[in-house]
Amino acid sequence: MKFTPPPQPELAPATPVRLDRVRAPQYGRYLEAFVPGQVFVHPRGFTFHPATMLDFARTFMQCSPIYLNAEAAKAHGFPSLVASPQMVFNVVLSLGVQNDSEKAIANLGYYGARFLRPVLPGDTLRAMTRVVDRHDRGGGKPGIVRVQTLGINQRGEVVLQYERKIMVGPEPRAAASAPAQAAPQGAGGAAATPFPWDDAAAVDLGELRPRGADPSLSGANTYFEDFEPGNVIVHANGRTITDEHVALTYKVGNTHPLHFDRVYSKGLTGAMSGEPIVYGGLVFAWLEGLASRDVSENAVWELGFTEGYHTQPAVSGDTVAAVSRVLAAEPAPVLGDDLGIVTFQLVGVKGLSAAAAVETHGADLFVKENDKKDKGKDKIAAKIFEIERRLLIKRRPKRS
Amino acid sequence: MKFTPPPQPELAPATPVRLDRVRAPQYGRYLEAFVPGQVFVHPRGFTFHPATMLDFARTFMQCSPIYLNAEAAKAHGFPSLVASPQMVFNVVLSLGVQNDSEKAIANLGYYGARFLRPVLPGDTLRAMTRVVDRHDRGGGKPGIVRVQTLGINQRGEVVLQYERKIMVGPEPRAAASAPAQAAPQGAGGAAATPFPWDDAAAVDLGELRPRGADPSLSGANTYFEDFEPGNVIVHANGRTITDEHVALTYKVGNTHPLHFDRVYSKGLTGAMSGEPIVYGGLVFAWLEGLASRDVSENAVWELGFTEGYHTQPAVSGDTVAAVSRVLAAEPAPVLGDDLGIVTFQLVGVKGLSAAAAVETHGADLFVKENDKKDKGKDKIAAKIFEIERRLLIKRRPKRS
Amino acid sequence: MKFTPPPQPELAPATPVRLDRVRAPQYGRYLEAFVPGQVFVHPRGFTFHPATMLDFARTFMQCSPIYLNAEAAKAHGFPSLVASPQMVFNVVLSLGVQNDSEKAIANLGYYGARFLRPVLPGDTLRAMTRVVDRHDRGGGKPGIVRVQTLGINQRGEVVLQYERKIMVGPEPRAAASAPAQAAPQGAGGAAATPFPWDDAAAVDLGELRPRGADPSLSGANTYFEDFEPGNVIVHANGRTITDEHVALTYKVGNTHPLHFDRVYSKGLTGAMSGEPIVYGGLVFAWLEGLASRDVSENAVWELGFTEGYHTQPAVSGDTVAAVSRVLAAEPAPVLGDDLGIVTFQLVGVKGLSAAAAVETHGADLFVKENDKKDKGKDKIAAKIFEIERRLLIKRRPKRS
């Protein structure tokens, strides 16, 4: 298509302003606009470039060589560098924010996340969300919505599935415009838009070779045998989060203004008022990175996570630190002799070191904040995150 | 070439310092060093890598899928991801700063910008500038220089042309060294260095397929039919600009110290004194990104812009927001049935939301700041930018 | 490998916390854990992606077209863009920090660095370190360790070798866990792990064509002939370092918490206490970038550097500036008629412009801070860095 556009004359002075026709497109949904069974196809998509994948891994100092070193990834049997599941999670969640949660008051929890296959250089992901459930409390109070989200590659394969609970307020009386997004499919829409969620979805790791890589690529003390249930692992370094979080929220495509619009944040009332809050996906990623050289350098796959809660917000200037606890270490005979499955609890704190957090709070650090009241325990103000995550980890190589 | 350099001994202690031979290379030009007709070929060039293109699009949250999703770009008929015209503009302008404006006091305006063909992964751009005009006011006062700049790819094709006006001071009495850059061609230099500017340049979009992509990739309310002259569109979110702007100025290659050297900025007198000012190209990019999901998700090309003015500076910590106004919506029969041309006025504000800006200032928000005096109106201190931009936008798909 | 993991039940509440089995893995080494002759193979590796290479060059505004412009790099005879030696240095040093210096008190100096061959897109580097020497001062005082480090590509070729001196404290009485890293080879380990250091290593630049590129790509005043011993070159612009340094430390993979963990930094006593200190490699890179358009735009190779000292720390908010001094300019007949070797002293300051630093401190700016006491001179508090660097620079093209 080739054409010569006419010159562009100045038009503004002669064009009347129609203040009677001001439009303010709104994104996200109020409580009433979530109907169980609805399926939303999120716009745009996200192409995973190898440089972006490397950049993400380094931004959060993920220490597994399969995210940092193309030769190591290939030695493990992957076709090339692998996008870290953490990046896949951050991107897929962000793709859905414009529809699902740009009006949300809070992200309440992550459940049943499963990473089903590697995302490789050049892959393009799109995301879809299904409304599972909606709890109204009435009286103008916020309700709770449960949604399932899928990340799907350009071949139509599901690479990630997870559920999350979101707190959403009802539509304010001063009615806003309708959501600008793709028309909801309605309660019976599942028929029109297939939603390939599978509770028993298989994980496909291709030609994985757990023993293919040089052991000097990763730590000597992070094999399956190094983890026993109950163990607490204090990760040495913390990380000060800077204003970078604003730019990173944009980078992963999360459109909620709470994370990047100070005028919006200052205009809020309540706990979220003030400085922009760090997008929770980024907090999770930094904590996971802080833990990575102690727990996942010899992991070949992140199976998934559940019971994930952001228990306090973080803002620019906060220094976060991480502690892991071993919840289970199970052989995985179906996967051969080289691998085991380890489940960790990952806990994040801010404003003090991980060592100080363990010393100060002891076993209470590992009690879910939501369970504290029932157990007659106080919440821990310095605790920002808790989750259970399950990894596929190499067994220690036998000395030949 | 293979050789063994000798060992590198320490030399500094035995090498006399020649303070009589201190050199301080200067860049940019004072007023007298602009001669109409001169053509400058700017050094270095800039290779557009697909990851850098994705990174730019995400840094400014440009919502068009052709900048974010390689599959979507290909479905539209592009060979691959496309560099956003905004990135091309930022880079081409920056390539010329060292010669054209590193000594400029202010960038006064952009005019007649045209994006003539896509910049694709692997393309390398260079830039050239021609001096069109110089207005001296004498008495040591700054003058105004009008220049035309071209961005040219490695095949010699012009991808962008635009004019800008720059305010430049005369050479201070304490004469600095001569500009270190490529020798100017002089008033008659056009003969020696061809300058392929063409007022009637054609736009070449190759095998563009406006209908090739899945409509779920972009918003449902941003087709040609959704825009009527006079409409005002308030973009919901703002963006807090952080210190990131310093690094981004470097990333696009803009060498003016006003944007990254606080010692320089603090040493200035007048309006620009203080904190480093955000490079205007970045401000434009953030505003355009804030507008993008409401106005350009279904645009397939940015034809160009004119009458662009940075009416107030922005600094780190400012929160910017954007309003668009439809100036014209014209069918484009020469391009077939699938496209129309929409011209928008884009206005940027800082320190308040876009909705508050419209409520507070009404129609005055859309009066050019330079015209305010003649109209007996006050300037709007919160207004930072105004421009007219013209986009090629898809018509709404017919329901089959 | 394809399998269906069982559902992930919540495990934390039922898993006892074993506070008797808290582990706190430690990284880096105390003084006693350095034994001359030890060879360490550092984990992970770092894949150089072309976008990451471009990104690095732009982050520090390196002005040589071979780092910015793929066409220019090829015209010079390189297969493609070249990673800047500065990036290679930053990465290789960082790869070793976890083992070598994560417990170091200070980095005392760089010596004998040599860049032996280009690092190209797709190359993956690993790093190895050998302990050369250890000086104990006893009485619980920190000692000085001298190490040699190699950067090695995926073909086993050494791309960089350098020495550095590190100040390290003895192990505190409250013994920490053993270093988690690959088992040291012990004093006699050299036999087991070859360490291909070569004092007379050759530089291999492949099919370098110093005259292959268009002269308009680089400055007209930065050829070999423009540099005479004793010359002082004041670089015009400074650069304000922002919090970006925290993210950049992560990006290059440096694991020392001094650079990114404010809780750690505030907990220190002495000169390093307070805000996170900018990683010295980044400071060097910014200074080199500030100098680049005046001294290295026409350099085709960085041969190496020596006598490099970080004489004061820099923190976020500091504005740094650079001065170069010509120490030697030698023809290099073995390399043909097109090249010469220039050795520069590069000095960095903070809080004032380079011009002000030369005016204020004169020749004393170029006296090594470590030599000041012997010469009866005061140290310069504003001086942050000094080094001697040797470049291979094009001779001025003959006018045809």
Side-chain angles (χ1 to χ4, degrees):
Chain A
M1 180 176 287
K2 202 166 168 175
F3 62 103
T4 300
Q8 182 179 351
E10 183 178 8
L11 299 176
T15 308
V17 180
R18 296 288 305 270
L19 289 176
D20 57 324
R21 294 174 63 186
V22 170
R23 268 196 282 154
Q26 296 296 306
Y27 297 88
R29 296 172 178 275
Y30 290 110
L31 190 59
E32 301 81 353
F34 286 94
V35 181
Q38 279 172 324
V39 170
F40 307 112
V41 179
H42 304 306
R44 290 164 212 154
F46 190 106
T47 294
F48 281 67
H49 192 282
T52 320
M53 290 160 43
L54 286 165
D55 205 39
F56 188 96
R58 290 167 185 159
T59 292
F60 299 99
M61 214 181 261
Q62 299 177 328
C63 293
S64 168
I66 62 178
Y67 310 139
L68 300 169
N69 176 333
E71 303 294 326
K74 285 184 270 184
H76 279 94
F78 295 107
S80 62
L81 281 171
V82 177
S84 78
Q86 187 62 250
M87 179 182 181
V88 174
F89 173 65
N90 263 273
V91 165
V92 170
L93 192 153
S94 296
L95 282 169
V97 167
Q98 175 170 304
N99 180 76
D100 301 344
S101 54
E102 199 170 315
K103 295 228 174 312
I105 294 165
N107 181 60
L108 296 178
Y110 311 125
Y111 308 88
R114 287 183 172 224
F115 296 100
L116 300 177
R117 46 175 54 73
V119 174
L120 297 170
D123 282 357
T124 295
L125 296 194
R126 298 204 54 192
M128 305 174 67
T129 292
R130 176 166 66 184
V131 180
V132 177
D133 217 5
R134 185 179 98 200
H135 286 286
D136 295 10
R137 296 190 297 161
K141 282 187 203 148
I144 293 173
V145 176
R146 191 172 186 109
V147 296
Q148 290 178 328
T149 293
L150 299 173
I152 300 177
N153 69 20
Q154 73 278 18
R155 288 176 299 278
E157 298 162 334
V158 177
V159 300
L160 165 64
Q161 59 184 36
Y162 66 91
E163 286 192 10
R164 64 177 179 135
K165 279 199 248 176
I166 311 167
M167 182 183 290
V168 189
E171 187 156 3
R173 229 168 286 167
S177 321
Q181 274 323 99
Q185 304 293 325
T193 306
F195 189 80
W197 179 282
D198 179 0
D199 279 324
V203 173
D204 186 349
L205 298 179
E207 306 301 315
L208 185 72
R209 291 193 299 272
R211 288 282 172 254
D214 181 341
S216 76
L217 285 163
S218 46
N221 301 326
T222 56
Y223 288 103
F224 176 74
E225 292 79 1
D226 294 305
F227 303 111
E228 288 185 58
N231 276 358
V232 170
I233 305 166
V234 178
H235 308 303
N237 295 339
R239 173 62 150 80
T240 302
I241 298 176
T242 71
D243 284 349
E244 71 200 303
H245 78 90
V246 169
L248 290 171
T249 297
Y250 258 48
K251 285 275 180 77
V252 295
N254 183 324
T255 57
H256 202 306
L258 184 64
H259 308 306
F260 51 73
D261 178 353
R262 193 182 282 132
V263 168
Y264 171 91
S265 292
K266 298 263 187 209
L268 295 175
T269 52
M272 295 299 187
S273 175
E275 287 300 298
I277 303 297
V278 182
Y279 161 38
L282 304 176
V283 173
F284 182 9
W286 268 304
L287 295 172
E288 196 232 277
L290 290 171
S292 67
R293 62 181 177 174
D294 295 334
V295 306
S296 60
E297 258 194 6
N298 282 308
V300 292
W301 195 243
E302 188 98 20
L303 290 168
F305 52 79
T306 198
E307 295 290 324
Y309 303 102
H310 294 284
T311 56
Q312 292 289 336
V315 297
S316 177
D318 282 342
T319 299
V320 302
V323 183
S324 293
R325 185 164 74 104
V326 182
L327 298 177
E330 303 156 290
V334 65
L335 303 175
D337 295 337
D338 295 335
L339 296 167
I341 295 174
V342 183
T343 307
F344 294 95
Q345 186 179 21
L346 173 66
V347 170
V349 295
K350 67 176 181 181
L352 77 177
S353 71
V358 171
E359 199 179 309
T360 308
H361 301 290
D364 286 354
L365 200 58
F366 305 100
V367 176
K368 281 201 298 182
E369 293 302 286
N370 279 342
D371 294 348
K372 288 270 166 81
K373 203 173 167 186
D374 286 352
K375 293 179 184 285
K377 290 178 179 292
D378 289 335
K379 293 198 178 195
I380 299 175
K383 184 171 159 189
I384 57 172
F385 188 63
E386 55 192 0
I387 204 163
E388 298 190 10
R389 53 196 289 250
R390 198 158 59 155
L391 303 173
L392 201 54
I393 294 185
K394 290 186 236 179
R395 288 171 169 275
R396 191 181 305 284
K398 289 175 187 78
R399 300 197 174 252
S400 56
Chain B
M1 182 178 284
K2 203 165 167 175
F3 62 101
T4 299
Q8 181 179 351
E10 183 178 9
L11 299 176
T15 310
V17 180
R18 297 287 306 270
L19 289 176
D20 57 325
R21 292 174 64 187
V22 170
R23 266 197 285 155
Q26 296 296 306
Y27 297 88
R29 293 173 180 275
Y30 290 110
L31 191 59
E32 300 81 354
F34 287 95
V35 181
Q38 280 172 325
V39 170
F40 306 113
V41 178
H42 304 306
R44 291 164 210 153
F46 189 105
T47 294
F48 281 67
H49 193 281
T52 319
M53 291 160 43
L54 286 165
D55 205 39
F56 188 96
R58 291 167 184 157
T59 293
F60 299 99
M61 214 182 262
Q62 299 177 329
C63 292
S64 168
I66 62 177
Y67 310 139
L68 300 170
N69 176 333
E71 304 293 327
K74 285 184 269 184
H76 279 93
F78 295 106
S80 63
L81 281 171
V82 177
S84 77
Q86 187 63 249
M87 179 182 180
V88 174
F89 173 65
N90 262 272
V91 165
V92 170
L93 193 152
S94 296
L95 282 168
V97 166
Q98 176 171 304
N99 181 75
D100 301 345
S101 55
E102 199 171 315
K103 294 227 174 314
I105 294 164
N107 180 61
L108 297 178
Y110 311 126
Y111 308 90
R114 288 184 172 225
F115 295 98
L116 299 176
R117 47 174 53 76
V119 174
L120 297 171
D123 282 357
T124 296
L125 296 193
R126 298 204 51 192
M128 305 174 66
T129 292
R130 176 166 67 184
V131 180
V132 177
D133 217 4
R134 186 179 97 200
H135 285 288
D136 295 10
R137 296 190 297 160
K141 282 185 205 150
I144 293 172
V145 176
R146 190 173 187 109
V147 296
Q148 290 177 328
T149 294
L150 299 173
I152 300 176
N153 68 21
Q154 73 278 17
R155 288 177 297 280
E157 299 162 333
V158 177
V159 299
L160 165 63
Q161 59 184 37
Y162 68 91
E163 285 193 11
R164 65 177 179 135
K165 278 200 249 176
I166 310 166
M167 182 183 290
V168 189
E171 187 158 3
R173 228 167 286 168
S177 322
Q181 275 322 101
Q185 304 293 324
T193 307
F195 189 79
W197 178 281
D198 178 0
D199 279 323
V203 173
D204 186 349
L205 297 180
E207 306 300 316
L208 186 72
R209 291 192 299 272
R211 288 283 173 252
D214 181 342
S216 76
L217 284 163
S218 46
N221 302 326
T222 56
Y223 288 103
F224 176 73
E225 291 79 0
D226 295 305
F227 303 110
E228 289 185 58
N231 277 357
V232 171
I233 304 166
V234 179
H235 308 303
N237 295 339
R239 173 62 149 80
T240 302
I241 298 175
T242 71
D243 283 350
E244 71 199 305
H245 79 89
V246 169
L248 290 171
T249 297
Y250 258 48
K251 285 273 180 79
V252 296
N254 183 325
T255 56
H256 201 306
L258 185 64
H259 308 305
F260 52 72
D261 178 353
R262 194 180 281 133
V263 167
Y264 172 90
S265 292
K266 299 263 187 210
L268 295 174
T269 52
M272 296 298 188
S273 174
E275 286 301 297
I277 303 298
V278 182
Y279 161 38
L282 304 177
V283 173
F284 182 9
W286 269 304
L287 295 171
E288 197 232 277
L290 290 171
S292 67
R293 61 181 179 175
D294 295 333
V295 306
S296 60
E297 258 195 4
N298 282 307
V300 293
W301 194 244
E302 188 100 19
L303 291 168
F305 53 79
T306 197
E307 293 290 325
Y309 303 102
H310 293 283
T311 56
Q312 292 289 338
V315 298
S316 178
D318 282 343
T319 299
V320 301
V323 183
S324 292
R325 185 164 73 104
V326 182
L327 297 178
E330 303 157 290
V334 64
L335 303 175
D337 295 336
D338 295 335
L339 296 166
I341 295 175
V342 183
T343 308
F344 295 95
Q345 185 179 21
L346 173 66
V347 170
V349 295
K350 67 175 181 182
L352 78 177
S353 71
V358 171
E359 200 179 308
T360 308
H361 301 290
D364 286 354
L365 200 58
F366 305 100
V367 176
K368 280 200 301 181
E369 294 302 285
N370 278 342
D371 294 348
K372 288 271 166 81
K373 203 174 169 187
D374 286 352
K375 293 179 184 285
K377 291 178 178 295
D378 288 336
K379 294 199 178 194
I380 299 175
K383 185 170 156 188
I384 58 172
F385 187 63
E386 57 192 1
I387 203 163
E388 299 190 10
R389 53 196 289 250
R390 201 159 56 156
L391 302 174
L392 201 53
I393 295 186
K394 290 185 233 180
R395 287 170 171 276
R396 190 180 307 284
K398 291 175 187 77
R399 298 192 176 256
S400 55
Chain C
M1 181 178 287
K2 202 166 167 173
F3 62 102
T4 300
Q8 182 180 351
E10 183 178 7
L11 299 176
T15 310
V17 180
R18 297 287 306 270
L19 289 176
D20 57 323
R21 293 174 63 186
V22 170
R23 266 197 283 155
Q26 296 295 305
Y27 296 88
R29 295 172 179 276
Y30 290 109
L31 190 58
E32 301 80 353
F34 287 94
V35 181
Q38 280 171 323
V39 171
F40 307 111
V41 178
H42 304 306
R44 291 165 209 153
F46 189 106
T47 294
F48 281 66
H49 193 281
T52 319
M53 289 160 43
L54 286 165
D55 205 40
F56 188 96
R58 291 168 184 157
T59 293
F60 299 99
M61 214 180 262
Q62 298 177 329
C63 292
S64 169
I66 62 178
Y67 310 139
L68 300 169
N69 176 332
E71 303 294 326
K74 284 184 270 184
H76 278 95
F78 294 107
S80 64
L81 281 171
V82 178
S84 78
Q86 187 63 250
M87 179 183 181
V88 173
F89 173 64
N90 262 271
V91 165
V92 170
L93 192 153
S94 295
L95 282 168
V97 167
Q98 175 170 302
N99 180 76
D100 301 344
S101 55
E102 199 170 315
K103 294 226 176 314
I105 295 165
N107 181 60
L108 297 178
Y110 311 126
Y111 308 89
R114 288 184 170 223
F115 296 99
L116 299 176
R117 47 175 53 75
V119 174
L120 297 171
D123 282 356
T124 296
L125 296 194
R126 297 202 55 191
M128 305 174 66
T129 292
R130 177 166 65 185
V131 181
V132 177
D133 217 5
R134 186 179 97 199
H135 285 288
D136 296 9
R137 296 191 296 160
K141 284 188 204 147
I144 293 173
V145 175
R146 190 172 188 109
V147 297
Q148 290 177 328
T149 294
L150 300 174
I152 300 176
N153 69 20
Q154 73 278 19
R155 288 177 298 280
E157 298 162 334
V158 177
V159 299
L160 165 63
Q161 60 184 37
Y162 66 91
E163 285 193 11
R164 64 177 179 136
K165 278 199 251 177
I166 310 166
M167 182 183 291
V168 190
E171 188 157 2
R173 228 167 287 167
S177 321
Q181 275 323 99
Q185 304 293 325
T193 306
F195 189 81
W197 179 281
D198 178 0
D199 278 324
V203 173
D204 187 348
L205 298 180
E207 305 301 315
L208 186 73
R209 291 193 299 272
R211 288 283 173 253
D214 181 342
S216 76
L217 285 164
S218 47
N221 302 326
T222 56
Y223 289 103
F224 176 74
E225 291 80 359
D226 295 305
F227 302 111
E228 289 185 57
N231 276 357
V232 171
I233 305 167
V234 178
H235 308 303
N237 295 339
R239 173 62 149 81
T240 302
I241 297 176
T242 71
D243 283 349
E244 70 199 306
H245 79 89
V246 169
L248 290 171
T249 297
Y250 258 48
K251 285 275 181 77
V252 295
N254 183 324
T255 57
H256 201 305
L258 184 65
H259 309 306
F260 53 73
D261 178 352
R262 193 181 281 132
V263 167
Y264 171 90
S265 292
K266 298 265 187 209
L268 295 174
T269 52
M272 295 300 186
S273 175
E275 287 301 297
I277 302 298
V278 183
Y279 161 38
L282 304 176
V283 172
F284 181 10
W286 268 304
L287 295 171
E288 197 232 278
L290 290 171
S292 67
R293 62 181 179 174
D294 295 333
V295 306
S296 60
E297 259 195 4
N298 282 307
V300 293
W301 195 244
E302 189 98 20
L303 290 168
F305 53 79
T306 197
E307 294 290 326
Y309 303 101
H310 293 284
T311 56
Q312 291 288 337
V315 297
S316 178
D318 281 343
T319 299
V320 302
V323 182
S324 292
R325 185 164 73 106
V326 182
L327 298 177
E330 303 156 290
V334 66
L335 303 174
D337 295 336
D338 295 334
L339 296 167
I341 295 174
V342 183
T343 307
F344 294 95
Q345 185 179 22
L346 173 66
V347 170
V349 294
K350 67 175 182 183
L352 78 176
S353 70
V358 172
E359 200 178 309
T360 308
H361 301 290
D364 287 354
L365 200 58
F366 305 99
V367 177
K368 281 201 299 182
E369 294 303 284
N370 277 341
D371 294 348
K372 289 270 167 78
K373 201 173 170 187
D374 286 351
K375 293 178 183 287
K377 291 177 178 294
D378 288 335
K379 294 199 176 193
I380 298 175
K383 185 170 157 189
I384 58 173
F385 188 63
E386 57 192 0
I387 203 164
E388 298 190 10
R389 53 196 289 250
R390 200 159 56 156
L391 303 173
L392 201 54
I393 295 185
K394 290 185 236 179
R395 287 170 170 274
R396 191 180 306 283
K398 289 175 189 76
R399 300 194 176 253
S400 56

